[in-house]
Amino acid sequence: MTNHPKSLTGVDTPAAIIDMHRMQHNIQRMQARMDALGVRFRPHVKTTKCSPVVKAQISAGANGITVSTLKEAAHFFDDGITDILYGVGMVANKLLQALALRRRGCDLKILTDSVDSARAIVSFGAEHGEVFEVWIEIDTDGHRSGIRPDESALLDVATVLHEGGARLGGVMTHAGSSYELNTREALAAMAEQERSGCVRAAERLREAGLPCPVVSVGSTPTALRAEHLQGVTEVRAGVYVFFDLVMHNVGVCSTEDVALSVLTTVIGHQAEKGWAIVDAGWMAMSRDRGTQKQQRDFGYGQVCGIDGAVIPGYILSGANQEHGILSREDAPDTDIAARFPIGTLLRILPNHACATGAQFPAYQALDEEGGITEWSRLHGW
Amino acid sequence: MTNHPKSLTGVDTPAAIIDMHRMQHNIQRMQARMDALGVRFRPHVKTTKCSPVVKAQISAGANGITVSTLKEAAHFFDDGITDILYGVGMVANKLLQALALRRRGCDLKILTDSVDSARAIVSFGAEHGEVFEVWIEIDTDGHRSGIRPDESALLDVATVLHEGGARLGGVMTHAGSSYELNTREALAAMAEQERSGCVRAAERLREAGLPCPVVSVGSTPTALRAEHLQGVTEVRAGVYVFFDLVMHNVGVCSTEDVALSVLTTVIGHQAEKGWAIVDAGWMAMSRDRGTQKQQRDFGYGQVCGIDGAVIPGYILSGANQEHGILSREDAPDTDIAARFPIGTLLRILPNHACATGAQFPAYQALDEEGGITEWSRLHGW
């Protein structure tokens, strides 16, 4: 129902607000770091799935993008981006979609970590006369997919691809367990583990006479804390563009860097309990409780004023589908109805920007003059 | 990218599958229970936000609907449903939308639980010459919003509405804490608490000479376990239409009743760990971990075969954005790569159907002949 509001006070709530100044700052910070480390940067657009954000990342110097779905690949290819890595292991029933994209001119790179999938790719490629560019996923931290750098399967997969007529594009890894750390030293060590493991995998391929032009690593925490990236050609990261409370707890941003917030209206109180009820429940915030196991649990989010300034000690302590429960962390604020009267507009910083953004069909981008532009985002597959 | 597939094997994954037979069974079961209890039934459409599902509920005998957003109200009014309760406390900045709906002929009922909001409603109504029908939200279990049945504020709010020219439509309550119970006796007791509290509030209004035609109660567990509903005129419930693993743990359905599942493809393995990797991560399942605190924790979901039959002992034990980790609950299945080869299609029952459905732009409705129809659903506000 948003009808080109002039300012935040005209936006229907709940709404996903992007602070454009903070977003630009985050983009510049990451790109500068990548430039200093001497690597290309390929942002993961799964965080935002939003054309104007990705355009800003490319304008700042990014080379190509990473996507989490083939729908994202098709969308951003239509936006004019050709260099796209689909960062989820390819499987036979998605090859027709990948082929269609390549036939349209998209320089789509696909991923595998198994002989079975590699065989499916080369067999499909042979059948359709298509040379797929395939990267091999490396497991450097045990958290998800990938082949460990020293496993024999690495050469088996690479050989199937190379001899089967695919283009062996390189190796990639994602040290997602960096999200579980929270000191500069531990993150630097994880970044080194991610780097050295991926470089080791590349070296094994090259020693075997196989091509491996790209060595791609990254996660937001390791990208920002790596001390050097020798042997790495490119880095990927996603959530840095907005940051969030999980990243605050990991220690790579402050709450003042978080560029995504949910605008909400106070709709009631349970004054004796110290609760204000707001119209941002879990449907708006997402069910992500990523800070629950970290050193500071922000519930469903940190409360800020409409100006974006943190209101210390107030969080969303609970959430139903369309109701958020706002309370003071240490002890009930029995004055809460006077502090946050019905109709008060607040902004809530999310635990996890990727999850919260996905709850909204569009972002409301807030510029430095207080103006609002609606930026649509992708939903579904 | 779905192009009218003939069967599940032609559906792009991940996808949200509705088992139409199970859904119809759930609808019939609830409507029969409501008929036996002698009350009208007003389903909460927030679970599905999907026209064909709601049409099936109305066809089975439902009277009107409950919505969680004004976007749902507008959508289902366009479908021809006029009797709509907006089940979230009304606030001043949403009154223009509510007015627009009423002016178009929608018999929209709105909700309040405070003198401040009641004043805002009557003042706006007077300004625009509109008689709003307002219900008062009653708190019968302390879990969220509402006025307690014996609070003096009940008469204050009712008086502001009645004297201010609004139509006092009734009282409503939702004993959402029923989700925390798991025995027939405890649920029956909670249903009685919900019923008696709401009836008590209605009696207080009537004793004060105020009108209170409607007494509306409900949640899926209390609706199914209430022993009688004397004094109640209507019941609301939402998740019963699909059920889910949380409701299974509450004890009001079996896994064979769960009508929503996420179709997913096996994309890889970490065989030594006993992991299969599937393409349903938290973006598909949602971040809802509602079974985590219940007597049985299903992780991110219960694994079923493509035929919908539960595969005992296998759950989604972890999730990244587009990666699910499938494993055996008791001990690693080192034979998992042979059991679930790459390309295997599986269906995952969700913790919480309302949250999982919201991750998809559309459902794929599976009929008894195995045919598929795409049913779109609402997203956002």
Side-chain angles (χ1 to χ4, degrees):
Chain A
M1 306 288 288
T2 305
N3 192 18
H4 303 299
K6 292 283 194 305
S7 74
L8 277 187
T9 54
V11 174
D12 291 333
T13 59
I17 309 299
I18 296 176
D19 181 317
M20 290 168 74
H21 177 74
R22 291 183 180 188
M23 179 190 89
Q24 282 293 356
H25 174 80
N26 296 338
I27 290 172
Q28 297 300 331
R29 175 184 168 199
M30 180 63 83
Q31 189 63 52
R33 184 73 196 134
M34 296 300 101
D35 294 347
L37 288 163
V39 290
R40 290 196 304 275
F41 182 54
R42 181 188 293 279
H44 205 317
V45 303
K46 75 183 180 77
T47 301
T48 71
K49 304 194 184 200
C50 176
S51 294
V53 177
V54 174
K55 194 173 170 187
Q57 292 170 306
I58 298 286
S59 297
N63 291 105
I65 61 173
T66 314
V67 298
S68 69
T69 65
L70 290 171
K71 183 171 181 171
E72 289 160 53
H75 175 85
F76 291 105
F77 175 63
D78 289 342
D79 277 356
I81 297 171
T82 55
D83 180 359
I84 300 179
L85 168 66
Y86 173 45
V88 179
M90 178 50 66
V91 68
N93 63 9
K94 293 189 168 88
L95 279 166
L96 265 176
Q97 282 177 263
L99 178 68
L101 277 164
R102 288 189 63 91
R103 290 274 161 88
R104 289 173 57 208
C106 179
D107 181 19
L108 181 75
K109 296 107 160 84
I110 60 177
L111 202 61
T112 187
D113 68 352
S114 73
V115 166
D116 284 355
S117 284
R119 284 199 183 119
I121 293 164
V122 297
S123 149
F124 182 93
E127 189 186 337
H128 292 84
E130 181 68 29
V131 177
F132 284 100
E133 177 169 343
V134 189
W135 295 13
I136 299 177
E137 185 169 6
I138 307 299
D139 176 12
T140 52
D141 68 345
H143 89 287
R144 191 167 74 193
S145 305
I147 304 171
R148 289 187 303 282
D150 284 310
E151 253 181 297
S152 60
L154 175 63
L155 295 181
D156 299 340
V157 171
T159 303
V160 167
L161 292 169
H162 189 61
E163 295 184 352
R167 181 180 308 123
L168 206 46
V171 287
M172 72 84 86
T173 193
H174 165 58
S177 56
S178 61
Y179 283 42
E180 294 156 25
L181 308 174
N182 60 18
T183 66
R184 187 175 285 264
E185 297 68 31
L187 289 169
M190 181 57 74
E192 175 56 17
Q193 179 179 324
E194 182 183 51
R195 181 204 72 80
S196 63
C198 205
V199 169
R200 170 76 186 125
E203 284 167 352
R204 285 187 64 214
L205 294 179
R206 292 168 188 151
E207 284 160 11
L210 292 160
C212 186
V214 171
V215 180
S216 176
V217 304
S219 72
T220 287
T222 52
L224 291 170
R225 292 296 180 240
E227 287 170 351
H228 74 91
L229 287 175
Q230 213 170 329
V232 166
T233 66
E234 68 163 41
V235 168
R236 307 174 327 282
V239 76
Y240 79 92
V241 68
F242 285 163
F243 285 124
D244 53 29
L245 296 170
V246 166
M247 287 297 116
H248 162 269
N249 278 343
V250 169
V252 292
C253 71
S254 73
T255 52
E256 283 68 39
D257 294 322
V258 179
L260 179 68
S261 60
V262 173
L263 184 71
T264 187
T265 306
V266 175
I267 63 170
H269 303 95
Q270 294 287 15
E272 287 171 30
K273 295 175 182 164
W275 292 358
I277 311 290
V278 298
D279 69 354
W282 59 254
M283 187 62 85
M285 300 308 302
S286 90
R287 270 294 197 195
D288 200 295
R289 287 284 288 102
T291 60
Q292 188 171 26
K293 290 187 205 156
Q294 294 184 307
Q295 74 271 25
R296 182 158 176 206
D297 183 353
F298 286 94
Y300 283 91
Q302 168 67 51
V303 177
C304 301
I306 192 170
D307 60 353
V310 165
I311 303 178
Y314 289 85
I315 63 169
L316 278 199
S317 52
N320 289 181
Q321 186 159 337
E322 296 290 346
H323 297 78
I325 295 175
L326 187 164
S327 63
R328 195 163 61 192
E329 284 173 284
D330 53 359
D333 176 4
T334 50
D335 204 32
I336 199 145
R339 188 179 309 276
F340 302 120
I342 289 175
T344 304
L345 290 170
L346 297 167
R347 287 163 67 183
I348 315 293
L349 303 182
N351 282 314
H352 188 175
C354 308
T356 301
Q359 303 300 105
F360 293 85
Y363 300 106
Q364 310 299 323
L366 174 67
D367 63 34
E368 290 186 64
E369 284 73 46
I372 299 283
T373 311
E374 184 162 301
W375 289 353
S376 67
R377 53 161 288 148
L378 293 182
H379 181 222
W381 289 267
Chain B
M1 304 286 287
T2 304
N3 191 18
H4 303 299
K6 292 282 193 306
S7 74
L8 276 187
T9 54
V11 174
D12 290 334
T13 61
I17 310 299
I18 296 177
D19 181 317
M20 289 168 73
H21 177 72
R22 292 183 180 188
M23 180 190 89
Q24 282 293 355
H25 174 79
N26 297 338
I27 290 172
Q28 297 300 331
R29 176 184 168 200
M30 180 63 84
Q31 188 64 52
R33 185 72 195 134
M34 296 299 101
D35 294 346
L37 288 164
V39 290
R40 291 196 304 275
F41 183 53
R42 181 189 294 281
H44 204 317
V45 303
K46 74 184 180 74
T47 301
T48 71
K49 306 195 184 197
C50 175
S51 295
V53 177
V54 174
K55 194 173 169 185
Q57 292 169 306
I58 298 286
S59 297
N63 291 104
I65 60 172
T66 315
V67 299
S68 70
T69 64
L70 290 171
K71 184 172 182 172
E72 289 161 54
H75 175 84
F76 290 105
F77 176 64
D78 289 341
D79 277 356
I81 298 171
T82 55
D83 179 359
I84 300 178
L85 168 66
Y86 173 45
V88 179
M90 178 50 66
V91 66
N93 63 10
K94 293 188 169 84
L95 279 165
L96 264 176
Q97 282 177 261
L99 178 68
L101 277 165
R102 288 188 64 91
R103 289 274 160 89
R104 289 173 57 209
C106 180
D107 181 18
L108 181 76
K109 295 107 159 83
I110 60 176
L111 201 61
T112 187
D113 68 352
S114 72
V115 166
D116 284 354
S117 284
R119 285 199 183 119
I121 292 165
V122 297
S123 148
F124 183 91
E127 189 185 339
H128 292 84
E130 181 68 29
V131 177
F132 283 102
E133 177 170 342
V134 188
W135 296 11
I136 299 177
E137 185 168 7
I138 307 301
D139 177 11
T140 52
D141 68 345
H143 89 289
R144 191 167 76 193
S145 305
I147 303 172
R148 289 188 303 282
D150 284 309
E151 253 181 297
S152 60
L154 175 62
L155 295 181
D156 300 340
V157 170
T159 303
V160 167
L161 293 170
H162 188 62
E163 295 184 354
R167 181 179 309 122
L168 205 47
V171 287
M172 72 84 86
T173 193
H174 166 58
S177 56
S178 61
Y179 282 43
E180 293 156 25
L181 309 175
N182 60 19
T183 67
R184 187 175 285 265
E185 296 68 33
L187 290 169
M190 181 58 75
E192 175 55 19
Q193 179 180 325
E194 184 183 48
R195 182 203 71 80
S196 62
C198 205
V199 169
R200 170 77 187 124
E203 283 167 353
R204 285 187 65 213
L205 294 179
R206 292 169 188 151
E207 284 161 12
L210 292 160
C212 186
V214 171
V215 180
S216 175
V217 305
S219 73
T220 286
T222 52
L224 291 170
R225 293 295 180 241
E227 289 170 352
H228 75 89
L229 288 175
Q230 214 170 328
V232 166
T233 65
E234 68 161 44
V235 168
R236 306 173 329 279
V239 76
Y240 79 93
V241 69
F242 287 163
F243 285 123
D244 53 29
L245 296 170
V246 166
M247 287 297 116
H248 163 270
N249 279 343
V250 169
V252 293
C253 71
S254 73
T255 51
E256 284 66 39
D257 295 322
V258 179
L260 180 68
S261 60
V262 173
L263 184 72
T264 187
T265 305
V266 175
I267 64 170
H269 303 95
Q270 294 287 15
E272 288 171 30
K273 295 176 183 165
W275 291 357
I277 311 289
V278 299
D279 68 353
W282 59 252
M283 186 62 84
M285 300 308 302
S286 90
R287 271 293 197 196
D288 199 295
R289 287 282 290 102
T291 61
Q292 188 171 25
K293 288 187 207 158
Q294 294 183 306
Q295 74 272 26
R296 182 158 176 205
D297 183 354
F298 287 94
Y300 282 91
Q302 168 66 53
V303 177
C304 302
I306 191 170
D307 60 355
V310 164
I311 303 176
Y314 289 84
I315 62 169
L316 277 201
S317 52
N320 288 181
Q321 186 159 338
E322 296 290 345
H323 297 77
I325 296 176
L326 186 164
S327 63
R328 195 163 61 192
E329 284 173 281
D330 54 357
D333 175 3
T334 51
D335 203 31
I336 199 147
R339 188 179 311 274
F340 302 120
I342 289 175
T344 304
L345 290 172
L346 298 167
R347 286 162 69 184
I348 316 292
L349 303 182
N351 283 316
H352 188 176
C354 309
T356 301
Q359 303 299 105
F360 293 85
Y363 300 107
Q364 310 298 322
L366 174 67
D367 63 36
E368 290 186 63
E369 285 71 48
I372 299 283
T373 311
E374 185 163 301
W375 290 352
S376 67
R377 54 161 286 148
L378 292 183
H379 182 222
W381 289 266

